[in-house]
């Protein structure tokens, strides 16, 4: 059984995240979307709301679940028996950060490896903060996010 963890802020989950997740289901038997608690980061949606939106969005994806964790992703992986951490890459700017994270994770546990999926062309510009800015300025973001998120912005 190949188990992977897909960590992030998901504030909110976007079609970019969903694309990575859908593609990763072809590689792993079980994927846990891990809402990482980061008290230093100011968030748009509460942890509970972000979790609820993820739950609704992954309903059709077999083997995918969601969890919340405060601490090192590597520690969480060990707890659930995951061997890989999934991340997405959009631009070179993502690469710098992810390269550093991969080194730090390997330092903590060399048995847990990171796997990167390249953003699809149509999703490469989507980030949670871009979606948030667009939505707040009144743009229609329904083609950029799962229905549960579009619904949340309408409220
Ligand atoms: P974090 O705060 O940990 O970067 P995010 O929720 O912003 O959390 O992103 C989680 C992961 O998803 C990161 O690896 C990020 O690069 C990736 N990601 C975000 N948006 C996209 C996208 N549009 N296409 C591909 N990967 C993406």
């Amino acid at each position: 059984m190949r188990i992977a963890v897909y960590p992030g802020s998901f504030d909110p989950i976007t079609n970019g995240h969903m694309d990575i997740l859908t593609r990763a289901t072809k590689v792993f038997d079980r994927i846990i979307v891990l809402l990482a608690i980061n008290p230093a980061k100011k968030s748009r949606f509460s942890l509970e709301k972000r979790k609820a939106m993820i739950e609704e969005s992954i309903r059709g994806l077999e083997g995918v679940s969601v969890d919340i964790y405060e601490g090192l992703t590597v520690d969480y992986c060990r707890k659930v028996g995951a061997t890989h951490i999934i991340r997405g890459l959009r631009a070179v700017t993502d690469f710098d950060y992810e390269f550093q994270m991969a080194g730090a994770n390997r330092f903590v546990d060399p048995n847990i490896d990171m796997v990167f999926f390249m953003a699809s062309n149509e999703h490469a510009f989507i980030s949670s903060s871009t979606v948030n800015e667009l939505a707040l300025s009144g743009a229609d973001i329904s083609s950029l996010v799962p229905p549960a998120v579009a619904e949340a912005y309408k409220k």
Side-chain angles (χ1 to χ4, degrees):
M1 175 95 132
R2 298 163 75 88
I3 307 174
V5 168
Y6 181 25
S9 316
F10 305 102
D11 187 31
I13 188 162
T14 69
N15 285 347
H17 294 126
M18 290 303 293
D19 177 50
I20 299 293
L21 206 45
T22 308
R23 287 157 59 196
T25 57
K26 295 179 186 131
V27 182
F28 296 99
D29 304 304
R30 219 186 123 203
I31 299 171
I32 303 158
V33 179
L34 191 65
L35 254 173
I37 300 181
N38 184 353
K41 221 170 172 177
K42 207 170 162 277
S43 57
R44 165 80 181 85
F45 291 101
S46 72
L47 213 48
E48 293 71 30
K49 181 66 189 169
R50 280 183 270 161
K51 183 165 184 264
M53 290 189 289
I54 295 171
E55 267 164 0
E56 208 169 318
S57 309
I58 61 177
R59 217 169 265 160
L61 288 178
E62 212 180 313
V64 181
S65 58
V66 58
D67 201 359
I68 298 178
Y69 188 67
E70 183 167 16
L72 293 178
T73 303
V74 175
D75 285 338
Y76 182 86
C77 288
R78 288 197 275 220
K79 197 170 81 127
V80 297
T83 51
H84 291 82
I85 296 171
I86 298 166
R87 296 285 287 177
L89 287 178
R90 284 158 297 187
V92 252
T93 42
D94 276 347
F95 179 84
D96 262 357
Y97 176 73
E98 299 295 343
F99 189 70
Q100 212 170 13
M101 282 302 293
N105 285 338
R106 202 170 302 119
F107 171 76
V108 180
D109 191 334
N111 295 313
I112 295 168
D113 217 339
M114 293 186 79
V115 177
F116 298 94
F117 288 83
M118 288 288 176
S120 312
N121 286 344
E122 67 267 41
H123 297 116
F125 78 96
I126 307 176
S127 69
S128 299
S129 50
T130 306
V131 162
N132 202 31
E133 271 171 44
L134 289 173
L136 292 181
S137 46
D140 177 10
I141 45 100
S142 55
S143 60
L144 307 180
V145 293
V149 178
E151 210 43 55
Y153 274 112
K154 270 187 208 148
K155 288 181 187 150

